[in-house]
Amino acid sequence: MMAAEAGAARNTLLAYERDLDGASMLLEGRLGEASPEDLHRLAEAWLPLKRATVARKAAALRRFFGFLQDEGLRGDDPSAALPRPGSDRPLPKILDHAAVDALFREIERRKAEGGTAALRLSALVELLYGSGLRATELCSLPRNAVSPDRPFLILRGKGGRERLVPISDRARAAVAEWAAHVPRDSPHLFPSGKKHLSRVRLYQLIKALAADAGIPPERISPHVLRHAFATHLLEGGADLRAVQLLLGHADIATTQIYTHVDSRRLIELVNSRHPLADAGPTGARRAGRAAGRVDARRNPA
């Protein structure tokens, strides 16, 4: 059902399998007949786990018992006894504009020294920060995914969902420079041996670049550059729904976490743009000063 009807990705199916197997072992193979009391025992066994882990396990079991009831395999659904821990999702790590500028200065320095490694790194970072690609999406790009005359590419990302990703002129130029050095018979834009560049190797390349740029390596990763892409778009006034589509998030709640990383800017936005911003004491004083100026113009001394 999860594969055929829900269209779940392979990693999701594997996670469900692990969670259901684990729960079945704790209940000695009686998961399908579990009572609310059995599920309370499961919840007690999960107490040492993180809240996010418990939430994931409970969600898998709710889906399982819902399936059993829908298929007529049991007449009740005991999943109300499962815990519902609150979310403790941490805020994403981000880079400020100065750090991003330092990365690109270091890339330009390496390019000036010559060599294809710098061209590859330039293309990788331009796509990570300029388009918000996930590491896996980036590493496995087909050789002709980015076309010089097409300002976008179509990705099949997490969960098998397709999305259109705009590619900046800078990124297309960087990819074109690198692509000229990719073997013509390579199916991948970033080949490595018989396959493509691995996520681990990409991680290492970004860490080394950060160190040379004077940025603590622990502050950066390919995913941090994706976070910076989203955060800097929102800082620039981008619509949250547009950022959701660009990142390929199935749920806008996932994208909303980026609205928490710059609360100062959001507060300033409300204070300066809200229709009632001038209705308070400050607004009244401003209105009074404006009225005084009008009176002075009408009744000059």
Side-chain angles (χ1 to χ4, degrees):
M1 182 277 289
M2 289 294 296
E5 296 180 21
R10 181 175 179 273
N11 286 343
T12 301
L13 296 176
L14 291 174
Y16 267 73
E17 182 178 9
R18 286 193 300 269
D19 289 339
L20 294 178
D21 281 345
S24 181
M25 288 180 61
L26 287 172
L27 296 181
E28 300 176 345
R30 296 181 294 101
L31 180 60
E33 298 81 36
S35 65
E37 291 72 23
D38 292 327
L39 299 188
H40 282 303
R41 286 201 294 119
L42 274 182
E44 291 175 0
W46 292 341
L47 284 176
L49 303 178
K50 292 182 178 179
R51 285 189 291 173
T53 302
V54 174
R56 190 198 70 232
K57 289 178 178 294
L61 291 187
R62 286 190 190 93
R63 199 73 176 262
F64 175 67
F65 288 118
F67 169 78
L68 293 182
Q69 188 176 40
D70 290 344
E71 295 294 312
L73 298 174
R74 63 178 294 167
D76 65 327
D77 182 351
S79 62
L82 290 166
R84 292 182 178 273
S87 173
D88 59 348
R89 178 182 291 175
L91 293 179
K93 294 180 181 179
I94 61 166
L95 292 176
D96 58 25
H97 293 276
V100 172
D101 290 342
L103 291 177
F104 282 109
R105 282 196 300 271
E106 175 59 22
I107 289 173
E108 290 303 316
R109 186 191 67 77
R110 294 188 185 190
K111 288 171 69 175
E113 294 179 350
T116 58
L119 297 179
R120 181 180 68 170
L121 187 60
S122 175
L124 290 168
V125 176
E126 288 284 359
L127 290 171
L128 280 171
Y129 176 67
S131 297
L133 300 189
R134 296 182 177 93
T136 300
E137 295 168 344
L138 175 62
C139 292
S140 59
L141 281 176
R143 190 182 193 282
N144 297 317
V146 181
S147 174
D149 59 352
R150 190 178 65 215
F152 64 88
L153 60 85
I154 298 176
L155 281 179
R156 184 179 295 276
K158 196 173 182 180
R161 294 182 292 271
E162 285 191 346
R163 74 180 191 276
L164 186 146
V165 179
I167 305 295
S168 68
D169 292 341
R170 277 182 52 141
R172 280 187 290 152
V175 170
E177 276 191 287
W178 161 245
H181 299 275
V182 177
R184 292 189 177 275
D185 60 348
S186 170
H188 302 293
L189 181 58
F190 300 106
S192 180
K194 295 182 179 180
K195 296 184 179 180
H196 55 70
L197 184 72
S198 70
R199 293 175 58 198
V200 172
R201 183 58 183 146
L202 174 63
Y203 186 91
Q204 293 169 342
L205 291 171
I206 297 300
K207 292 281 187 184
L209 172 65
D212 289 346
I215 301 169
E218 64 273 11
R219 286 184 55 201
I220 193 171
S221 71
H223 212 65
V224 169
L225 286 172
R226 174 173 157 88
H227 290 323
F229 162 79
T231 305
H232 294 169
L233 276 178
L234 289 171
E235 287 178 355
D239 177 76
L240 189 66
R241 171 64 176 162
V243 175
Q244 176 198 2
L245 294 174
L246 291 172
L247 292 174
H249 288 160
D251 187 348
I252 199 168
T254 308
T255 317
Q256 283 175 329
I257 193 169
Y258 294 104
T259 64
H260 299 295
V261 300
D262 191 5
S263 57
R264 176 188 53 79
R265 186 187 68 84
L266 294 176
I267 292 169
E268 290 176 355
L269 182 66
V270 170
N271 287 335
S272 63
R273 300 293 180 86
H274 194 278
L276 296 180
D278 287 342
T282 302
R285 287 194 296 271
R286 190 181 301 128
R289 288 196 299 269
R293 287 195 296 270
V294 171
D295 288 342
R297 286 196 297 268
R298 287 178 178 172
N299 305 294

